[in-house]
Each structure stands twice: as structure tokens, then as C-alpha cells.
Amino acid sequence: MKTLPLLALLLLGQWGHCFEFIIDGEWEGETRAILTSEEEEDFEAIRGDDITVKSYKVESRITSRFAHTTVRSSVVNSGSKAQSIGFNVQIPKRAFITNFTMNVNGITFTGSVKEKTVARNLYAQAKARGKAAGIVRTNSQDMETFKTEVHVPPGSNIQFELHYQEMMQRKLGVYEHSLHLQPGRLVPQFQVDVYIYEPNGISFVQTTNAFGERFIGLTKMNTTKEKAHIVFKPNVEQQRKCENCTDSGVDGLFRVTYDVSRDHNAGELQVSDGHFVQFFAPSSLTPLPKNIVFVIDVSGSMWGVKMKQTVEAMQAILDDLTMDDYFSIVDFNHNVRCWSEDLVPGSSIQVEEAKSYIRGIKPNGGTNINEALMKAVQMLLKASNQRLIDPRSVSMIILVSDGDPTVGEIKLSKIQKNVKRVMKEEFSLFSLGIGFDVDYDFLERIAMENRGMAQRILANHAASEQLRSFYRQVSSPLLRQITIQFPEEAVSDVTHNRFDKFFSGSELVVAGKLRLTEETTLTSFTTASAASMDLTLETETEIGELDAKLAGQQHSVTGFARQMWAYITVNQLISERSLAPTAAKKRKITQRILTLAVEHQFVTPLTALLVESEDGGERLLADSPKDPKQGCCSVPTPVILNYSPPPWVQPPTPRPLPIENDPHFIVHLPRAQMDVCFNIDSEPGHILNLVSDPGVVVNGQLVGAKGPRADGKTSTYFGAISMYYQPEGLEVTASTERITVRDSHRGHSFTWAATANITVKISIVKESHVTVSVNDNIRVMVLLHRVWKKHPINVDYLGIYVPTDNQYSPLVDGLIGQFSVEPEVRVYNPHPGADPLKEEATMEVKGHQLSVTRGWQKDYRQDRKQGSDVYCWFVHNSGKGFIDHHYTSYIVPHSHSFLQLA
């Protein structure tokens, strides 16, 4: 959390200038002022007794999740006396103010961010001229207040302009941009504009406001694939709280929520202005099992609404558990109790018993946080040591408390050390602080240090929903041990690229600088551990492509990638600073923060906004007081990993047996030094068995062309290839749209737009091919063929290639599997055929004499567009005589069916 400034300027016109500088906020070791609920209700954007607000305009530009917001207002002192006029803006806690300007009767004050000590010294030089004032306040869970007051003579004109920037965070599947609109009066020119530009496309965008039914339909929205423009522009009559009211009904939050289009799980890599940003938010993955110990404060201070809301939230949270999850509950006051000493499955019976236990809790006594957390860690360790829990599961502690420790170990630094000492690296701690009595800084530090995060819960009627909302954010972990890597020679100054967990609906972001190279593309590799496999995903982007697009965008954020990199870096450094083990380390981090904040004009806890008149004669100081708890990513130690190409990146090299459209088969016979081809003339929808070996089956489903060929027949193609490995219940299905991996419990889906490698030996190369290996002795490659979408007949299809060195059992069968043992083949009596370009001959094989024709077929392994020619002997009549049985014998009912021959 951080805090924001108030500026007060007293201008007495012809009577001269008077400034007074007062700090009533949090400096080193001081206390932050908190707005009471009464103060919150009285909040107005523009304050004054007899003033005219000519305009109030808010403009937000969001480019690739990075938002730059400008708030402008023009005010006139309409009274007959000098008075103070206030300009107040509530902004998100995670935002950095980047500039503030003010024009008072022609005197322009312009802001610039400087190191706090430098700004103070410059201010002190002007202090003899008068006095100035500053205050910092926070009044909600998500917003903070910037306050400015100007004392001006009658008839004065004042223009205010505030700029702030923030990175949008994805929560529960959406990005939310919130604007607090509370002008406090009717405004002739009132307008809000939000411009969104997402290069990969916007999947949806919607707006909500808290202004009431009178404002329904007043928000206008124009959208395209990549852009959205939202306008809220009520006139004076529409602003009224009621038909005859003189008060404004514009009073509350105006929210814009949206999400972006994602065509694959490998992430979105963007390069602009010499910087890059990687967004990673995969979906269609099976959630990891969870092991949760809920640690609930039941001390006397939780009595009443706090406990009622906590119990209500826990009822819903426990209902969310599944049989794959394990859990228990620790409740504590001056003593520590366990609902169950061991973790138990999330069955309906156990959940109901736990809910009954929760309902029976009666708060009383003191607060023994240390012992409660020690007990929770002990329970997770016991379950892990006894191999009770899935090794791929996620283990976490969720602490809910409203106060400081009063019993047992009460020294916060000692509790922090104790927890860090016993927590395993695979455990995470999440802290929820109810109300403002709790030491939230401590809860945030202890969570960050143990791979978790913290959130303050407001102790009001909505506390239950706040608790449930937080739990939803962490209730569906999809990946563990995520690392996003880049070629070492291509990048520098990379932000944290190693993450403990990825939760469904969230997003991981890594940014950095580009090195000067001759490369025209940048590639990232993401490795992660999923529910039943390990993944490596690859994505690539053209370095100059996005800048060319941005050049044509009127309302994009200039230098968004550069500012986003700085924003992430500064936030991570502030987090590291709060956890610095030594003074020397803290000083080093401090200097880095100062350098970046001044360069990128961020008001941080270590910098100040110096507001000066154009001639430098008048100076005001806006400080953001010290508060080190605003880091964006809970990674206590920066770990930068660089990419070196792993061996699996290379495509497989053994010579395979390919199958392509119609579908045609090419069988390579090494001993005979020849290739034999045949087609299968089956129907769309039929599933052909290609390989059937005890425990392993490969099947292909046919699709038909859009229309008949010139000869009246409809071509068929492989539209889906499935490989099923029975011992592990693993099925991999590749269609022309996506690759799906399923086991007996879980499923994962990848589009062809991703490059991935999976530890069950599944390698996906973007828009090219997927290779599946089983036990290192059977491998199948499926090749993707794209055709022109508007082609009147042809459709996308798949080719399958099976290496001749696959090792099967003696019982293997199938259209391809039967040739694992090369048959004796003799071709004789070659002679010119009816077509002079196609030689004919007789083939002797498996006791049959077949008429065959010499011709060309295509092998697409090396050249996916044109293919390479293979000269082969073609067997007619769907391979009759060359394959063991009539082709209809190889039709199976399901994608995972084994071949059943009579």
C-alpha cells in the first residue's frame, strides 16, 4: 500500500503570496491518517462554498493493460470573498502519480518528480516567501485520495490537471479500470472517455456504475476487434439526483471491465520502444489439487459483525472444496485448537462437519498468531511427509485475523522469522487483515516472504463477500513453478520471471529491455508444472510489428512498454526493500528505486512531486510518504533465468511412414528399398485404426471436403488423430483446431498457435506439428495442413508420420502397425501403362499377385507447403492384398478403441 499527497496553496492576489508546508502523514516511523466513514461521505472532487465548476473531464488511455489517466477541472471563485478551493481525486492504490499542473489566474505551476531530499531542499529555498501544506490520507481498500487546496481572491480562474499511471491486474478473468466520480455539484461540461487498445484483440468490454437507475443508458460504447471507446457524458439535467434536485447524482465508481483475446496458452509477447512485455494467462488447464489449512482468529476482538461475516464466508468457501482437495481448520485466541489434527479430503461429509464446527465458534480471549501458524505449518509438513497429498498439489495457509498478537510470541519480527524458518518452499501463506486495527504491514510482509499475498478486508456488511472474492482468486491453481525465459543475448534488465503459482483468471507479466542485435524476432520459453505433466511453451513476435501499429493509434499510451517495465521494476524493488536483510542491501535497492522513479516520473514513497511556477519562483511540494508495502509481485528474491535451446527443440529425425490426404499411405520398405502407397476410400466420420498394440492405440477420424471433386467423388482427410496409452489412461487428440491431452482425471487443451513441450513426451510446434512419444519406443508425428479458408472444396487436414524404428510387441496390428515387420515384396514385369508417365507392374506380397502402378506422392515433413516427391508403387482398391484384411475391418467405434479382429 502507498499513500498520496495533498497540496495546499494560498494565493492572496495583490496582497502577495503566502505558503505553508505541513506534513500530517506517514514519514519514517510515523502514522498514516485514515479518513473516517463520515469523511468518506463528505468527499467531493471540487470543494468550495460559492464556486462555479465549469468543467470536469476524465480521460483514460489503456494500451496493452497499461493505463494513463488524466483528470482535468476548470473552476471559478464566484463569491465576493477570497476562499479555499479544493481539488480532490481518488485514485487506485497501485497507481503512481506522474504529474500535476495548476494554473491560477495565469500563473502556471508544473510538477516534476525528484528525489525526496532534493525536492525538499529546493522547496526550502522558496520557504521564506511563504507557507505551503501537505497531507496524506487513505480511505478505502482500493482507492487513495490526492487533495489540493488553493486559496484565491474572488473572480479567480483555476485549472487543475492530474496524471497517474497503473498496470491493469487481471483478477477472476477480467481487467477492471475504476474511476471515482464525485464532483459534488452539477457541472456544465462533464465527460469521461476511456480508450482501450489491445493489439491481440478485445474479447469483451462492459461498464457499470453506482449512480442509480437514472443513469442507465447514458454510457456509449464503440468497439472494434482491437479498440474500444467508452463515453459517459451526461448533461446538467441528466446529472441531477432526481428530476427537481439541485444535487448531482454522479456519486461513486464508474467501472470498465474487459478481457483480451487469447489464441493460445503460450502467452502474448509484445515489443515496443526498445522494451518487451510478456503476458501469460493460460486457460483450459485442469486445476491442481489443493491442501489448505484455514487459520482463523477467534479472539475477543472478532466478536460481532466480524465473526458473523467470517463464518458466512467460510460456509461458501468450504462448499467449494472437491474430493481432490485436502483441508483442515485451526482457530486461535490465546489458545490454539484444530478441527482435525490431520488434513482430510474435501468430501461432502467432512465439509458439513467443518461448517458445523465453524458455526459453533464463540470469539473470546487474546491473540496467539505465532503458535497458530506454527501448528498450520506442522499439519502441512505431516501430510507431506506421510505422502498423503499429491506431489503436484498446491499447499497453502490462509490466515484471517483482525489484530496484533497479544499472547505467546508478540514480537512481529520474531514471528516473521519463525514462520519463514519452518515453511517449505512449496508452501504459501495468504494473509487477510480485517479492519484497521490489524498491523497490515506485518501481514503483507509475512505473506510476501512466503510466496503469498495479503489483502485488507473492510469490516463492514460486505466483509463476507470480500473474503469469498479473495478466496476465488486463489482457489483454482493451474500451474506451479513457472519460469519465463528469453535468449540471453537478446534481452537485459528482465523483471522477475520465476513464479511460484499461477491461478485461474489471473495473469503473470514479465518485462525487460531489448539489446541491440540484428534479430528481427524475439522468442520466449515458458516452463511450468501442470496437474499431470510439465509444460514448455514457446511464443514469438516480430520486433517492429507493434510499433508500426501504434503509430496509427491516436489514443494509445506513448511508450507503454517502457513505462510498464519501469512500473513493474519499481514495485518489485519496493517489495524487496521492505524485506532487505541488511542496511547496505536496503541502501542499494533505495538508490535503484530513486533512479528509476525520477527517470520515469513516478511519485513513490522515496520521491516527491515538486510543483513550480514557470519562473521557478514559487514552489510546492507533494510527497508520497514512505510505505514499502506496494510491490506488485510477491517474489522476495529476484531470480533471472536465461534461455539456452534445449535438445527437444530440434524436430525428430528418424525416417517415418507418412499418411496424407484422401487419406493416402506411404509405407517405406527398407530391405526391399522401395516405397509402397495405397489409399483408403472410406466415409467422413469413420475412425480408422492405424496402430493397435497392447496398451497403445493410434486412430484417425476422417472428415470430408466441402464439396465433390470434378469426378463427382468427395475427398476425405484425417481431421483428428488420437493416441491412447492405456496404462496411464492418457489420450492425446490432435484436430485441425487444437491438441487435447486427457488422463483419467484431468484434461488440458492447446491451440496450434502455441509451441509446447510436455513431460509425457508431447511436443507441439506452433502451426506445424505435434509429436507424441510413449516410453521412448513409440513415436507419432501429426502434421497440420492449412488451406485457404475460402477454398470452395478443400478443408484443413492432418498428416500422420510413424517412424520405422518404433518398437512394438509381436501382437501389433492396424493399417500401419502391421508393417512393423516388413513383408516380403517382389515387383516384376514392369511395363508402360495406359498413362505413359505411370509405369505398371505386378507385385507379389502375402501370397497375392497385385497389379500396381508407379507414381508420385507427397511427403510434407520437410516442406509443409509444397511437399517433396516420393516415387512409390501404388496398390489399388484401398490396399486390398497389401494390407492383411479388408479396409473396413480397421474401422473402430471410438477414438480410443483398440482393434478387434475376428
Side-chain angles (χ1 to χ4, degrees):
M1 184 191 301
K2 63 180 186 312
T3 45
L4 301 176
L6 173 147
L7 292 175
L9 170 62
L10 180 66
L11 294 183
L12 300 179
Q14 64 269 34
W15 300 292
H17 302 286
C18 181
F19 303 82
E20 183 177 8
F21 184 48
I22 305 170
I23 295 297
D24 181 19
E26 182 188 359
W27 294 98
E28 296 283 345
E30 294 188 9
T31 304
R32 181 170 56 253
I34 306 298
L35 288 184
T36 66
S37 58
E38 290 80 9
E39 289 176 296
E40 290 185 51
E41 293 173 359
D42 293 339
F43 178 89
E44 291 179 331
I46 309 296
R47 277 187 177 273
D49 294 330
D50 193 359
I51 62 175
T52 300
V53 181
K54 296 193 295 185
S55 66
Y56 191 87
K57 298 182 178 181
V58 181
E59 179 186 275
S60 289
R61 301 184 179 192
I62 303 172
T63 299
S64 294
R65 294 79 141 174
F66 195 76
H68 182 117
T69 299
T70 306
V71 183
R72 300 181 179 92
S73 186
S74 179
V75 185
V76 177
N77 181 3
S78 305
S80 58
K81 299 179 180 180
Q83 66 168 312
S84 293
I85 296 176
F87 173 69
N88 308 321
V89 180
Q90 288 195 302
I91 74 172
K93 289 186 186 296
R94 301 182 62 82
F96 286 141
I97 290 175
T98 57
N99 204 355
F100 172 71
T101 61
M102 182 168 53
N103 185 290
V104 184
N105 294 329
I107 301 176
T108 299
F109 292 82
T110 303
S112 61
V113 177
K114 299 183 182 298
E115 181 181 342
K116 188 168 287 188
T117 54
V118 173
R120 283 177 174 177
N121 289 336
L122 290 172
Y123 165 78
Q125 295 173 16
K127 189 173 181 180
R129 294 177 175 270
K131 303 175 181 180
I135 192 171
V136 179
R137 294 186 176 188
T138 178
N139 70 329
S140 76
Q141 181 181 9
D142 302 312
M143 308 294 285
E144 292 186 337
T145 306
F146 173 91
K147 299 171 70 69
T148 308
E149 289 184 2
V150 187
H151 196 85
V152 294
S156 296
N157 289 275
I158 312 100
Q159 288 85 40
F160 302 99
E161 184 172 307
L162 179 71
H163 297 255
Y164 61 88
Q165 294 182 339
E166 62 175 321
M167 184 181 78
M168 309 284 286
Q169 283 194 313
R170 189 168 184 257
K171 294 182 179 180
L172 300 176
V174 299
Y175 305 97
E176 181 179 295
H177 183 61
S178 296
L179 299 171
H180 194 279
L181 305 178
Q182 201 170 16
R185 65 199 68 241
L186 303 176
V187 182
Q189 299 179 44
F190 183 93
Q191 183 166 341
V192 176
D193 291 277
V194 178
Y195 299 93
I196 303 173
Y197 175 64
E198 291 289 347
N200 271 30
I202 300 171
S203 62
F204 79 91
V205 60
Q206 61 186 32
T207 65
T208 57
N209 66 64
F211 309 147
E213 294 183 0
R214 283 179 57 82
F215 293 86
I216 295 175
L218 297 185
T219 302
K220 307 299 180 185
M221 186 186 308
N222 295 311
T223 61
T224 63
K225 178 184 177 183
E226 298 173 341
K227 294 188 289 186
H229 179 203
I230 297 96
V231 183
F232 179 61
K233 189 180 179 181
N235 59 35
V236 171
E237 291 302 315
Q238 292 168 331
Q239 292 173 42
R240 296 184 189 277
K241 198 168 187 178
C242 62
E243 188 173 347
N244 298 317
C245 292
T246 58
D247 295 335
S248 173
V250 181
D251 183 0
L253 285 176
F254 181 84
R255 290 186 174 94
V256 177
T257 56
Y258 76 96
D259 200 11
V260 301
S261 301
R262 296 176 179 83
D263 56 0
H264 57 81
N265 276 341
E268 181 181 347
L269 182 57
Q270 297 183 5
V271 174
S272 176
D273 193 24
H275 292 71
F276 70 86
V277 185
Q278 166 88 39
F279 302 99
F280 184 64
S283 58
S284 301
L285 298 172
T286 299
L288 298 164
K290 303 183 296 293
N291 314 300
I292 308 178
V293 179
F294 298 98
V295 180
I296 302 173
D297 184 346
V298 295
S299 60
S301 59
M302 287 286 288
W303 182 266
V305 174
K306 292 179 184 178
M307 197 69 237
K308 180 181 178 182
Q309 295 285 319
T310 301
V311 170
E312 183 179 316
M314 284 299 300
Q315 305 293 304
I317 288 171
L318 291 170
D319 280 335
D320 183 68
L321 297 172
T322 71
M323 279 295 297
D324 289 333
D325 300 325
Y326 281 76
F327 79 103
S328 188
I329 299 167
V330 172
D331 60 296
F332 68 97
N333 43 32
H334 50 282
N335 294 317
V336 175
R337 298 189 308 167
C338 298
W339 166 67
S340 170
E341 289 286 343
D342 299 309
L343 299 188
V344 299
S347 66
S348 57
I349 295 176
Q350 301 283 16
V351 165
E352 287 304 317
E353 290 182 3
K355 288 164 65 175
S356 177
Y357 178 83
I358 289 288
R359 287 192 295 268
I361 290 176
K362 305 297 182 185
N364 66 85
T367 307
N368 192 343
I369 292 179
N370 184 76
E371 188 177 339
L373 290 176
M374 293 298 101
K375 182 63 177 179
V377 176
Q378 182 185 41
M379 295 168 70
L380 288 176
L381 287 170
K382 180 180 177 182
S384 177
N385 293 336
Q386 291 179 347
R387 302 181 183 273
L388 178 66
I389 57 180
D390 188 329
R392 287 184 174 270
S393 61
V394 169
S395 297
M396 61 180 78
I397 297 169
I398 297 181
L399 168 66
V400 180
S401 180
D402 77 329
D404 291 343
T406 60
V407 177
E409 179 59 67
I410 62 173
K411 190 175 181 181
L412 299 181
S413 59
K414 181 65 174 178
I415 297 174
Q416 187 175 337
K417 290 179 181 178
N418 289 344
V419 174
K420 182 174 176 59
R421 174 174 50 81
V422 298
M423 285 279 281
K424 293 181 66 174
E425 285 192 4
E426 58 265 36
F427 297 169
S428 295
L429 172 62
F430 297 91
S431 303
L432 297 172
I434 299 181
F436 288 98
D437 294 331
V438 67
D439 190 322
Y440 182 74
D441 300 345
F442 162 70
L443 292 183
E444 193 164 38
R445 284 196 305 273
I446 201 171
M448 288 168 52
E449 198 168 37
N450 292 285
R451 298 159 296 282
M453 58 184 176
Q455 181 169 311
R456 189 189 296 277
I457 303 297
L458 299 184
N460 56 25
H461 63 280
S464 177
E465 177 54 34
Q466 295 172 59
L467 287 165
R468 290 198 299 267
S469 177
F470 178 87
Y471 177 75
R472 286 196 296 269
Q473 294 178 47
V474 301
S475 64
S476 186
L478 300 183
L479 296 172
R480 300 166 52 248
Q481 301 172 348
I482 307 102
T483 303
I484 302 176
Q485 305 171 75
F486 305 87
E488 183 177 5
E489 68 278 4
V491 301
S492 67
D493 298 281
V494 180
T495 60
H496 295 167
N497 63 346
R498 190 174 182 179
F499 305 90
D500 187 62
K501 298 174 184 67
F502 170 76
F503 296 98
S504 178
S506 66
E507 184 171 62
L508 304 179
V509 183
V510 177
K513 296 180 178 180
L514 288 183
R515 297 185 188 273
L516 292 176
T517 67
E518 296 182 356
E519 295 294 328
T520 59
T521 61
L522 178 65
T523 303
S524 71
F525 286 84
T526 303
T527 59
S529 177
S532 57
M533 62 195 72
D534 292 339
L535 309 174
T536 300
L537 307 169
E538 176 186 339
T539 189
E540 183 180 81
T541 190
E542 297 288 335
I543 287 178
E545 184 177 19
L546 182 54
D547 280 334
K549 289 183 179 180
L550 290 172
Q553 301 302 319
Q554 183 180 356
H555 296 101
S556 62
V557 179
T558 303
F560 87 90
R562 177 177 180 271
Q563 288 299 98
M564 185 177 285
W565 168 80
Y567 177 95
I568 296 172
T569 302
V570 169
N571 272 298
Q572 290 178 348
L573 288 171
I574 291 173
S575 295
E576 290 176 34
R577 184 176 184 269
S578 71
L579 300 173
T582 64
K585 178 72 171 177
K586 189 172 186 177
R587 285 194 299 270
K588 185 177 180 180
I589 296 173
T590 298
Q591 189 56 50
R592 290 185 64 195
I593 295 172
L594 291 173
T595 301
L596 283 172
V598 171
E599 179 184 354
H600 295 269
Q601 293 293 285
F602 292 150
V603 178
T604 71
L606 303 176
T607 52
L609 185 69
L610 185 69
V611 185
E612 302 179 278
S613 60
E614 292 176 333
D615 60 4
E618 315 295 351
R619 289 177 175 144
L620 304 173
L621 190 64
D623 274 305
S624 178
K626 174 184 178 293
D627 191 334
K629 283 75 62 178
Q630 57 170 322
C632 78
C633 302
S634 302
V635 183
T637 305
V639 181
I640 308 301
L641 301 178
N642 294 302
Y643 166 71
S644 58
W648 55 262
V649 172
Q650 304 302 320
T653 55
R655 180 176 177 84
L657 299 168
I659 307 172
E660 291 296 339
N661 54 308
D662 289 329
H664 68 245
F665 293 67
I666 305 174
V667 180
H668 177 63
L669 304 176
R671 290 205 312 269
Q673 295 186 341
M674 71 172 69
D675 293 291
V676 179
C677 304
F678 62 93
N679 287 350
I680 294 296
D681 188 16
S682 193
E683 300 292 329
H686 282 176
I687 301 174
L688 300 178
N689 175 253
L690 307 177
V691 176
S692 185
D693 201 25
V696 179
V697 65
V698 181
N699 294 323
Q701 185 168 23
L702 302 181
V703 295
K706 297 175 182 176
R709 303 187 301 251
D711 60 5
K713 294 184 177 181
T714 299
S715 296
T716 58
Y717 309 82
F718 279 119
I721 304 291
S722 296
M723 184 173 185
Y724 177 57
Y725 183 49
Q726 193 175 41
E728 296 182 7
L730 178 69
E731 183 175 7
V732 182
T733 300
S735 69
T736 56
E737 297 299 324
R738 61 183 58 250
I739 299 98
T740 304
V741 183
R742 292 189 180 92
D743 62 18
S744 55
H745 297 97
R746 308 175 179 99
H748 307 276
S749 181
F750 306 88
T751 70
W752 282 101
T755 292
N757 191 66
I758 305 166
T759 50
V760 291
K761 300 297 179 62
I762 303 168
S763 175
I764 304 168
V765 177
K766 179 180 178 180
E767 295 293 342
S768 176
H769 62 271
V770 55
T771 303
V772 183
S773 301
V774 174
N775 288 343
D776 295 325
N777 56 16
I778 298 177
R779 185 167 66 242
V780 174
M781 180 199 293
V782 178
L783 193 66
L784 175 66
H785 292 275
R786 295 288 192 208
V787 300
W788 181 42
K789 292 295 183 185
K790 296 183 179 180
H791 194 285
I793 296 178
N794 293 345
V795 295
D796 294 347
Y797 65 96
L798 303 174
I800 177 170
Y801 293 76
V802 182
T804 56
D805 58 357
N806 276 354
Q807 300 173 20
Y808 303 106
S809 78
L811 301 177
V812 66
D813 209 328
L815 286 169
I816 298 175
Q818 63 187 287
F819 296 105
S820 63
V821 177
E822 183 176 335
E824 294 293 334
V825 177
R826 185 170 73 93
V827 176
Y828 60 93
N829 191 26
H831 57 274
D835 183 343
L837 298 179
K838 294 183 178 180
E839 188 179 25
E840 294 183 353
T842 300
M843 175 183 289
E844 189 175 276
V845 58
K846 299 180 180 179
H848 304 286
Q849 291 185 337
L850 311 175
S851 294
V852 293
T853 303
R854 195 90 182 246
W856 297 97
Q857 292 286 10
K858 290 290 188 180
D859 181 343
Y860 290 93
R861 284 171 298 148
Q862 304 302 324
D863 186 345
R864 292 199 305 116
K865 291 185 177 180
Q866 302 298 326
S868 56
D869 292 321
V870 175
Y871 205 35
C872 65
W873 289 105
F874 186 80
V875 179
H876 303 277
N877 300 321
S878 294
K880 184 177 180 180
F882 184 65
I883 60 178
D884 290 340
H885 308 278
H886 192 273
Y887 82 88
T888 56
S889 300
Y890 297 94
I891 298 175
V892 293
H894 305 292
S895 61
H896 57 273
S897 297
F898 284 83
L899 187 62
Q900 301 291 333
L901 294 172

